[in-house]
Amino acid sequence: MEHFEAWAETNFEENLAVLIDYLRVPTLAGQGVGVPEGAEATAALLAAAGVEPRLIDVPGAPPVVYGEIGEGPRTLMVYDHYDVQPAEPLDLWTSAPYEPTIRDGRLYARGAADNRGELAARVRALAGYRATMGEPPLKIKFVFEGEEEIGSPHLGEFVAANRDMLEADGCLWEGGGWDDDGNPEMTLGLKGIAYFDLRVRSADADLHSSLAAIVPDAAWRLVWALASLKDADERITIEGFMARVVEPGPEDLALLERLPLNEAKIRETTGIARFVNGLTGLALKRKLYFEPTCTICGLTSGYGGPGAKTVLPAEASAKVDFRLVPDLDPPTVERLLRDHLDRHGFADIETRLISGVAPARSPVNADIVRAAIATARAIWGMEPAVSPNSPG
């Protein structure tokens, strides 16, 4: 490793310049901005590290940039994404989002931390390995997609169509960072999500509120339906929902015990006096990392402008998301939600699944997990903060 570390130090400015050039290319999947340019720039990054890139067309989506290198008894997949979040509001930026700027030893640009920085670092690390130690003793497969920031709606189709090509013994996902105590963070899983649009119509048009005595109020219908999904103790009350939640095992709980969580800082930054149900310590961490959620993200109905308007709403809608843990997945939640509403007299509430991603979690004792932890100890000289699951 000494030769590699010397290479990294000697080539620091060159590697930084590579990242800066890469950050200048905006790629916004939701707006259709810079997609071909982002894919080409990503392919060029792989090619410069000695990996022959392929741009694989995905119907209705940006191409997946794929490449593989090396031979050996095991295969490692490296997943990242080359699209970025929109930069608005622009007036909050100190420097232009696509003009990378270094201030006080930090690099500022859209995508510098999510996910262009990690993507470029991994590819340049391969370049350094090949320059100092030769070809890697295992097969490495790079899979870079271009619509993660809009929920990866086509990635499942790509995986289903290319299962043999994507077979691997382990996968490094995007992201990484440091916790509040300065320890390197490692996350073994992610919650999934099921995002719904709920809608109800009770009349042909908004009416005068004097008719509320005899005409149903769409806003009340929706509020009552939403109130049936979760009780005042924050328990999700959809029949069969919580029964599918896999309880954390002893190894998971042991990780939670060691995982730092700065409760005071979270309360300070969020402006809250206490956490849900007054939770603290291990119980708080268990709820954060291992329990699903049901969140009303937005409500729309009637009149919300200045002053008064005596209106009886004819339509009401809500955005609701569920954060999912094993063994919950979007199709199952969609079915359970529909059955629950019908059972409780809310057949008139329309439900539409807008987007969904299943949860994923690696076993604590998986080979790739043990290898990653050992590597973090060797590189940083400290114990990593290992989270068995991400709240996100």
Side-chain angles (χ1 to χ4, degrees), residues 131-182:
T132 57
M133 290 182 280
E135 297 304 314
L138 77 168
K139 182 178 288 293
I140 304 176
K141 297 179 177 180
F142 294 95
V143 181
F144 301 147
E145 68 153 318
E147 57 175 8
E148 191 273 347
E149 296 293 5
I150 59 171
S152 304
H154 296 89
L155 186 62
E157 299 171 23
F158 169 79
V159 171
N162 296 278
R163 285 188 177 276
D164 291 341
M165 182 183 75
L166 298 174
E167 186 176 353
D169 297 296
C171 176
L172 291 180
W173 201 248
E174 61 158 312
W178 302 83
D179 67 13
D180 292 333
D181 297 326

Side-chain angles (χ1 to χ4, degrees), residues 12 23 47 66 122 148 162 209 221 225 269 298 303 313 323 348:
F12 174 79
L23 292 170
Y66 179 85
R122 290 167 176 180
E148 191 273 347
N162 296 278
S209 64
R221 286 293 297 164
T269 55
Y303 177 71
R323 296 286 169 165
D348 55 331

Side-chain angles (χ1 to χ4, degrees), residues 237-261:
T237 52
I238 299 172
E239 293 82 0
F241 190 97
M242 293 303 296
R244 299 186 66 91
V245 173
V246 176
E247 294 293 319
E251 292 178 323
D252 295 319
L253 294 176
L255 278 183
L256 278 191
E257 288 273 15
R258 298 192 296 269
L259 186 66
L261 185 68

Side-chain angles (χ1 to χ4, degrees), residues 46-371:
L46 278 178
V51 181
E52 183 176 349
R54 291 171 54 196
L55 270 64
I56 303 176
D57 288 332
V58 180
V64 170
V65 181
Y66 179 85
E68 59 181 58
I69 193 172
E71 293 294 338
R74 297 193 181 189
T75 298
L76 173 68
M77 180 186 295
V78 177
Y79 164 90
D80 289 280
H81 59 91
Y82 60 87
D83 63 318
V84 298
Q85 285 272 3
E88 285 78 7
L90 298 177
D91 59 334
L92 297 182
W93 285 80
T94 302
S95 52
Y98 301 109
E99 294 178 9
T101 304
I102 297 175
R103 297 193 302 274
D104 300 324
R106 294 179 180 271
L107 178 62
Y108 293 88
R110 172 53 86 222
D114 181 10
N115 176 236
R116 296 280 181 85
E118 290 87 352
L119 190 159
R122 290 167 176 180
V123 175
R124 294 309 300 162
L126 172 66
Y129 188 99
R130 296 183 68 238
T132 57
M133 290 182 280
E135 297 304 314
L138 77 168
K139 182 178 288 293
I140 304 176
K141 297 179 177 180
F142 294 95
V143 181
F144 301 147
E145 68 153 318
E147 57 175 8
E148 191 273 347
E149 296 293 5
I150 59 171
S152 304
H154 296 89
L155 186 62
E157 299 171 23
F158 169 79
V159 171
N162 296 278
R163 285 188 177 276
D164 291 341
M165 182 183 75
L166 298 174
E167 186 176 353
D169 297 296
C171 176
L172 291 180
W173 201 248
E174 61 158 312
W178 302 83
D179 67 13
D180 292 333
D181 297 326
N183 301 307
E185 291 181 310
M186 193 173 297
T187 304
L188 309 187
L190 296 165
K191 288 185 179 180
I193 189 171
Y195 198 107
F196 291 89
D197 182 61
L198 273 61
R199 191 172 299 271
V200 64
R201 175 170 284 277
S202 59
D204 289 339
D206 286 352
L207 302 169
H208 193 277
S209 64
S210 63
L211 293 174
I214 59 172
V215 175
D217 183 330
W220 272 115
R221 286 293 297 164
L222 185 59
V223 167
W224 289 328
L226 293 172
S228 76
L229 305 182
K230 193 167 74 167
D231 64 22
D233 292 323
E234 298 283 342
R235 291 185 296 242
I236 297 173
T237 52
I238 299 172
E239 293 82 0
F241 190 97
M242 293 303 296
R244 299 186 66 91
V245 173
V246 176
E247 294 293 319
E251 292 178 323
D252 295 319
L253 294 176
L255 278 183
L256 278 191
E257 288 273 15
R258 298 192 296 269
L259 186 66
L261 185 68
N262 192 327
E263 297 181 20
K265 184 173 182 179
I266 295 174
R267 289 195 303 270
E268 179 184 352
T269 55
T270 58
I272 62 174
R274 61 196 292 270
F275 294 106
V276 165
N277 292 334
L279 293 176
T280 187
L282 183 62
L284 178 66
K285 289 191 283 188
R286 180 167 176 159
K287 187 171 183 64
L288 177 64
Y289 291 105
F290 284 107
E291 291 191 15
T293 66
C294 173
T295 304
I296 300 172
C297 302
L299 284 168
T300 303
S301 187
Y303 177 71
K309 183 179 181 182
T310 53
V311 61
L312 173 63
E315 186 175 19
S317 63
K319 304 290 186 182
V320 177
D321 84 18
F322 297 85
R323 296 286 169 165
L324 309 180
V325 298
D327 284 324
L328 289 164
D329 57 56
T332 299
V333 174
E334 184 178 27
R335 175 178 56 81
L336 292 175
L337 175 62
R338 183 69 266 165
D339 290 348
H340 169 88
L341 291 172
D342 292 347
R343 185 181 294 111
H344 289 268
F346 296 109
D348 55 331
I349 305 292
E350 300 175 11
T351 61
R352 182 170 67 93
L353 178 62
I354 298 175
S355 62
V357 179
R361 190 184 303 164
S362 296
V364 176
N365 59 357
D367 288 344
I368 189 172
V369 173
R370 295 203 303 267

